[in-house]
Amino acid sequence: MPSEKRTTPPPRYDIANVFPKMKKLARTTVRLHPRRGNVADLHATKLGGKIAWPAKTPWPHCHEHDQPFIAALQISKADVPEFPFKTGTDLFQLLWCPSDENEEAPHLLELHWRESSADGPVLKKMPALEGERDSYPFLLDPCQLFPERVVEYPGFDELDESLQAEINAWDLSADPLVQANRADGRFPFTPGEELYRYELSLASGTKIGGWPDWVQYPAWPTCDAGHAMEHLLTVASMETFGEARWCPIEDRAKGAACKGDYKKLLTLNHQIGLDFGDGGNLSIFICRKCKTWPWKTDMQCG
């Protein structure tokens, strides 16, 4: 992994101390912080690029579009040990079709868990795509990843009504930043809900585990056996730069340099080089109660 890191600033309020009912809802997520750049190590944790695919195993092919799949994400147990690896495996690989009939997100995906030491030689050259990049809407820019653990809480719409009421009634009249943000009257929420939604609940961006960052509405899937599924990971169209709380400390200067230039900031936010719908998130869920670990996806956009 890269020697540098990404650090999310601490919240201005510990929400679990303000509202003790929140303590049982706390989860740790691993923010991956993708940043454009090739990673030469085939076994490394990375987004896009070349991965450690066993040479003896045929590379997946998208028969609907007659083209090879592409590597979307690889996670090494050495870097992210809390990822749900199957017994005897230490490498996770997500592949998908780079051009799908779904205009918002790919639905042709493959998930693989591998034991890297048992796979033998790896493929030295990934199958190449033909034609222009613009013809592949789900082709990612290779990115380095910088795993960081943060505590997060469910989105406001997932809280029970009593907690929502408490947050709505939260007296923030003494908080000058909250009051300054509300001075222009653009925000539709109460100060408490606004602060919770944007600073104190869900970590934005590409991440593993924790709570899904629903762009529109909660949509927890169930497997065919009727079990509630768990959030495995989210690949997000955008990462957070600028002045928002979820912008890492190390990237604050880059975000500040874009102040007043929305187009420049938007380019900075789109680190992975693609867009699910209109700045949406592609989330994957799994069921570990079932022997085969079935999975489902959910895509939401703004």
Side-chain angles (χ1 to χ4, degrees), residues 1 45 56 58 92 101 115 157 162 174 176 182 186 215 234 247 301:
M1 293 300 296
T45 295
K56 63 184 179 182
F92 169 80
E101 63 268 21
E115 173 50 64
D157 296 324
S162 64
R182 295 187 62 79
R186 289 183 301 162
V215 179
T234 289
C247 177
C301 60

Side-chain angles (χ1 to χ4, degrees), residues 114-141:
R114 302 191 179 284
E115 173 50 64
S116 56
S117 63
D119 282 338
V122 298
L123 200 64
K124 298 299 183 182
K125 188 176 182 181
M126 307 290 109
L129 296 171
E130 298 180 356
E132 299 296 324
R133 189 197 191 287
D134 291 347
S135 62
Y136 301 103
F138 305 119
L139 181 61
L140 307 104
D141 289 339

Side-chain angles (χ1 to χ4, degrees), residues 1-21:
M1 293 300 296
S3 57
E4 57 183 300
K5 63 179 182 178
R6 292 297 186 276
T7 310
T8 301
R12 289 189 293 123
Y13 298 93
D14 184 338
I15 194 68
N17 282 338
V18 179
F19 304 106
K21 294 178 185 177

Side-chain angles (χ1 to χ4, degrees), residues 55-73:
K56 63 184 179 182
T57 303
W59 184 267
H61 191 83
C62 177
H63 297 289
E64 290 189 26
H65 299 279
D66 192 24
Q67 59 191 224
F69 273 50
I70 60 167
L73 179 67

Side-chain angles (χ1 to χ4, degrees), residues 207-283:
K207 62 184 182 180
I208 290 169
W211 292 95
D213 183 4
W214 308 111
V215 179
Q216 297 169 321
Y217 49 82
W220 285 99
T222 57
C223 70
D224 291 344
H227 303 136
M229 305 181 81
E230 62 183 284
H231 176 235
L232 177 67
L233 62 90
T234 289
V235 180
S237 298
M238 296 188 289
E239 300 301 314
T240 302
F241 286 82
E243 299 176 345
R245 180 242 161 157
W246 295 107
C247 177
I249 293 171
E250 294 82 359
D251 293 321
R252 293 264 156 171
K254 287 184 178 179
C258 298
K259 193 168 184 179
D261 189 335
Y262 177 74
K263 185 176 181 180
K264 188 176 180 180
L265 180 61
L266 195 62
T267 300
L268 194 60
N269 288 344
H270 279 86
Q271 288 289 311
I272 72 172
L274 62 79
D275 208 340
F276 298 122
D278 183 13
N281 296 336
L282 174 65
S283 296

